[in-house]
Amino acid sequence: MRRANGKGSISYYKKKKLFQVRISVIENGILKRKSLGYYKGRREAKKVLEEYIISPYDIDNSTITFKDLYDIFYKTKRENISYSTKNNYRFNFNHCQSISHLLIKEIKTPHLQDLMNRLEISTGSKKQLKGFLSMLFDYAIQMEYIAINRAKYIKIEKHTPVREKSIFTDKEIKRLWEHQEIYFVKVILLMLYTGLRIGEVPNIKKENIDFVNKIIRNTGNKTEKSKHRIIPIHNDIFNIIQELYNISHTDYLVCIEASGKNKSIHKETIRRNFNEIMKSLGMEHIPHDTRRTLASILDKNKISETVIMDILGHTDFRTTKEHYIINDEKTITEAMNEIKIIN
C-alpha cells in the first residue's frame, strides 16, 4: 500500500496472512525503516499507522508489555503512595493476568472489554479496575509508548442484579464453630460476633484489644462514630480473639504473612478466603451478612436501639432497621404463634 513520503507504509504478507506497518525514522543522521507491528486486518493496520503519524511515540519503547508498563509505573509511584494504595495497585494488576504478556501497543479496547466481562467481581470493583487501567494507559501516553487511552472506552454494566439480603442461620453458625480450627473461619466468627465491616478487620491493632474489660476499641473506618466505637467481646469468641492475637507476629490482630513485616492483611485477602470457605461449607453469603446477622440477633433479643447503634457504629437507627435487621423463618413463625387470632 503506497502512501505519501514520510507517511509510512502497510504491506501484506501472504505467508503470515498479516499486514505489517512500517515507518521511516532518522537516527544519527541515517534514515531507517522500523516496524510498528503486524495486524490481522488492513483497517487495524491503517489505524495504528495514522495514530503514530498524529502522535509519534518511541518505537523501541513500544515493545514493552502490559506487565512491563505496570512494573515501570509502580517503581515511579511506590515511594510516594500509602501501603493500602500499593495493595490496591497489586490487587487490580492481579485481575489483569490474561493481558499481562501482551504488548501495550497491541492492546485494544476489545481486549480490555473481554477482560472486564470475564471477571466475576462486583460492579464497584469493575469501576475501580477501569480507573486503574485508565491511569496506567494515561501513564503510557505520558511516556510516549502509545497515543490513545483505550481503557476509557471500557463499558461497565450499569445495573447488577440485586442480591437478596440474608443472615447466617443458627445451623450455619454452628457449622462454622465445627471448623474453627481453620484460620479464616476464626476471622469469620470474629466478624459475626462483633459486626465489624470487612474493611475494618485489617485495622484492628493488638493495642485496641482490652482483654481485661473484654472490649475492642477504635476500629471503625467509615464514620466518626464507628471510628471511636466500643465493641464488647462476647464470651463465645474470647478464646478465638486470644488465638488470633497470639498467632499474629505483627501489631495487628489479623495477619497471616510470614515475611516478618509489620503490615496488616488486605481486605481482599479476607474476602477471597471468605468466599472459598462459604463454597466449601455449602453456604451462600457475602462478608456483610456477618454484620447483618449480628444486628438481627441483637434486635431479636430485644437489645435497645441505642446499644445496637453503638456496637455497629451507626448514627441513625433507620439505617440499621432498613438495611441490617432481618428476621429469619424461626423468628417470624414464633412471633405469629404468639398472636391470638381469636380471643
Side-chain angles (χ1 to χ4, degrees):
M1 180 179 180
R2 299 183 62 85
R3 298 172 63 88
N5 290 338
K7 298 298 182 180
S9 66
I10 298 174
S11 305
Y12 181 68
Y13 289 82
K14 291 183 179 179
K15 289 184 178 180
K16 293 184 178 182
K17 295 183 179 180
L18 294 172
F19 291 87
Q20 183 187 30
V21 180
R22 292 190 294 177
I23 193 76
S24 298
V25 296
I26 297 176
E27 290 184 355
N28 300 321
I30 301 174
L31 183 66
K32 295 182 179 181
R33 298 276 287 172
K34 290 198 172 185
S35 174
L36 296 182
Y38 291 86
Y39 303 91
K40 291 182 179 180
R42 185 184 298 276
R43 182 179 296 178
E44 183 181 11
K46 183 179 178 182
K47 190 172 183 179
V48 169
L49 181 55
E50 290 176 347
E51 286 176 0
Y52 176 83
I53 292 171
I54 294 171
S55 182
Y57 49 85
D58 189 311
I59 296 173
D60 291 332
N61 283 339
S62 72
T63 59
I64 68 169
T65 64
F66 180 84
K67 183 180 185 306
D68 293 332
L69 173 66
Y70 171 76
D71 289 340
I72 296 169
F73 170 82
Y74 185 79
K75 287 177 183 177
T76 62
K77 298 291 183 181
R78 63 184 178 185
E79 300 300 326
N80 301 311
I81 57 177
S82 67
Y83 176 69
S84 62
T85 300
K86 291 177 184 177
N87 268 343
N88 284 331
Y89 285 170
R90 288 192 287 264
F91 179 73
N92 280 300
F93 175 72
N94 287 337
H95 282 316
C96 305
Q97 295 302 317
S98 63
I99 64 169
S100 63
H101 65 287
L102 297 179
L103 297 178
I104 284 296
K105 67 177 184 179
E106 294 181 350
I107 296 178
K108 309 301 180 186
T109 302
H111 291 122
L112 300 174
Q113 190 65 59
D114 183 64
L115 164 69
M116 196 68 69
N117 292 344
R118 289 175 180 273
L119 289 174
E120 295 182 358
I121 56 177
S122 67
T123 300
S125 294
K126 287 186 177 182
K127 288 180 179 178
Q128 289 183 13
L129 178 57
K130 179 181 177 180
F132 170 76
L133 288 169
S134 186
M135 179 172 58
L136 274 184
F137 277 75
D138 275 341
Y139 179 74
I141 292 172
Q142 176 189 337
M143 298 301 292
E144 299 186 355
Y145 299 153
I146 55 175
I148 295 177
N149 186 338
R150 300 188 185 281
K152 291 183 177 180
Y153 304 107
I154 297 173
K155 294 181 180 180
I156 308 294
E157 64 270 21
K158 293 183 179 179
H159 301 288
T160 301
V162 178
R163 176 186 171 277
E164 186 178 348
K165 298 173 186 175
S166 66
I167 59 175
F168 285 79
T169 63
D170 291 348
K171 185 178 179 179
E172 288 175 330
I173 296 174
K174 289 177 182 177
R175 186 156 171 71
L176 287 172
W177 277 109
E178 291 170 359
H179 294 83
Q180 62 176 294
E181 75 280 358
I182 301 172
Y183 183 86
F184 277 99
V185 170
K186 298 182 198 295
V187 177
I188 295 173
L189 288 169
L190 169 69
M191 295 167 67
L192 263 169
Y193 280 76
T194 61
L196 285 163
R197 300 177 179 90
I198 189 171
E200 295 172 336
V201 174
N203 298 335
I204 308 173
K205 287 192 171 183
K206 289 180 177 179
E207 64 187 34
N208 298 136
I209 311 296
D210 181 349
F211 284 112
V212 175
N213 296 301
K214 295 185 176 181
I215 286 173
I216 302 176
R217 307 177 189 275
N218 307 331
T219 59
N221 65 358
K222 194 168 184 180
T223 65
E224 282 303 312
K225 181 166 184 176
S226 68
K227 289 177 183 178
H228 303 293
R229 75 186 190 269
I230 294 173
I231 301 174
I233 299 174
H234 193 281
N235 291 331
D236 288 356
I237 61 162
F238 187 84
N239 290 338
I240 290 287
I241 293 178
Q242 279 190 321
E243 289 174 22
L244 291 172
Y245 189 101
N246 293 330
I247 290 171
S248 174
H249 57 273
T250 71
D251 291 340
Y252 298 90
L253 179 66
V254 179
C255 179
I256 59 169
E257 295 179 358
S259 61
K261 295 180 180 179
N262 190 22
K263 296 179 179 179
S264 62
I265 194 171
H266 196 278
K267 71 175 183 179
E268 295 303 334
T269 301
I270 299 175
R271 190 189 306 280
R272 184 174 66 253
N273 282 276
F274 180 99
N275 292 338
E276 289 176 359
I277 288 171
M278 290 299 103
K279 185 176 180 179
S280 66
L281 296 183
M283 301 181 193
E284 294 183 4
H285 288 289
I286 60 174
H288 214 66
D289 288 347
T290 58
R291 192 166 161 82
R292 294 191 183 102
T293 300
L294 180 64
S296 301
I297 290 173
L298 293 174
D299 182 68
K300 184 170 65 174
N301 284 275
K302 304 190 185 314
I303 304 299
S304 72
E305 294 179 2
T306 55
V307 171
I308 297 176
M309 288 167 58
D310 286 342
I311 292 175
L312 296 181
H314 286 163
T315 56
D316 190 338
F317 190 71
R318 285 177 297 180
T319 300
T320 313
K321 191 71 177 175
E322 292 175 11
H323 302 288
Y324 288 83
I325 296 175
I326 303 168
N327 291 315
D328 57 20
E329 293 179 1
K330 183 179 179 182
T331 301
I332 295 172
T333 302
E334 289 177 351
M336 179 60 77
N337 288 334
E338 290 177 2
I339 297 173
K340 291 185 177 181
I341 305 296
I342 301 175
N343 293 321

